[in-house]
Amino acid sequence: EAVRRSGSKMGRLAELGTTGTKVPLAFAVTVDGFNDHFAATGLDAAIDAELQGADLSDHPALEVIADRIRGLIVSTPILESLADQIVDAYEELCDRASDLNVPTAVRSSATGEDGADSSFAGIFDTFLGVSGSPRVLEAVRACWASLFSARAIAYRARHGISHHAMPMAVGVVELVHARASGVAFSIH
């Protein structure tokens, strides 16, 4: 359930936290929030109109379309009810961290981002050191907009994936200042 609502990055982080493993403080703007925002603001219809009949193999034309779509997303205020929930969650994260304006990593967590047949590794954006509610809201919109970079649109087209099939959750994660990091893979 966590992966379905929060994407694989944030869903797996939440699952890891339930095992007792120490994970950074975080919250997710779920795919439900994404879907509600894009439907209610008319972004879904505007994006569909931009992509309708477009030659997605024409890179210069695709760049223009992608820029227009991303511009629409970052300039459309987040629905007030959703923005209020994000601000409340960020303030709770700050309270739990015992710090005002906790620096965060605002990360894409699209459903299907790390699938068996495709990997969107490095295609969507992450914003580091984001502090304060206004900047968090701005970074959430920028993460959503990265779903529509020319590279992301072209990659989905090559794999026959509609953007409707992979709504984007966004993780807002306490920024951990680390000396080292790593990735572990298993056969499972």
Side-chain angles (χ1 to χ4, degrees):
E1 176 68 13
V3 171
R4 186 189 66 73
R5 295 192 68 230
S6 301
S8 59
K9 280 182 196 164
M10 293 306 296
R12 299 289 180 228
L13 185 65
E15 288 173 356
L16 191 59
T18 64
T19 68
T21 303
K22 186 174 178 177
V23 297
L25 299 173
F27 67 90
V29 180
T30 66
V31 297
D32 297 330
F34 173 92
N35 287 331
D36 291 348
H37 173 73
F38 276 65
T41 60
L43 283 169
D44 271 340
I47 292 166
D48 287 342
E50 286 285 350
L51 294 174
Q52 183 82 29
D55 180 358
L56 301 182
S57 64
D58 180 352
H59 187 72
L62 182 56
E63 283 287 347
V64 171
I65 292 168
D67 285 346
R68 280 196 306 256
I69 292 171
R70 288 194 320 273
L72 285 170
I73 295 167
V74 299
S75 66
T76 301
I78 295 177
L79 292 174
E80 187 175 345
S81 60
L82 179 59
D84 289 346
Q85 291 174 30
I86 294 169
V87 168
D88 288 349
Y90 178 70
E91 289 174 356
E92 181 182 329
L93 187 146
C94 291
D95 287 347
R96 290 175 57 209
S98 300
D99 193 1
L100 292 174
N101 295 321
V102 170
T104 61
V106 181
R107 311 202 58 203
S108 66
S109 187
T111 57
E113 190 168 343
D114 299 314
D117 299 324
S118 61
S119 171
F120 285 81
I123 291 182
F124 304 129
D125 291 338
T126 293
F127 300 91
L128 302 176
V130 179
S131 305
S133 298
R135 290 199 58 225
V136 168
L137 292 171
E138 182 181 300
V140 167
R141 287 194 315 262
C143 276
W144 286 340
S146 71
L147 187 62
F148 297 96
S149 69
R151 195 168 91 170
I153 294 168
Y155 188 82
R156 277 194 303 273
R158 280 194 305 275
H159 287 86
I161 302 170
S162 165
H163 64 276
H164 293 290
M166 60 178 310
M168 182 178 284
V170 174
V172 180
V173 184
E174 174 187 26
L175 191 61
V176 175
H177 300 284
R179 285 188 243 163
S181 67
V183 177
F185 292 95
S186 71
I187 196 163
H188 178 57

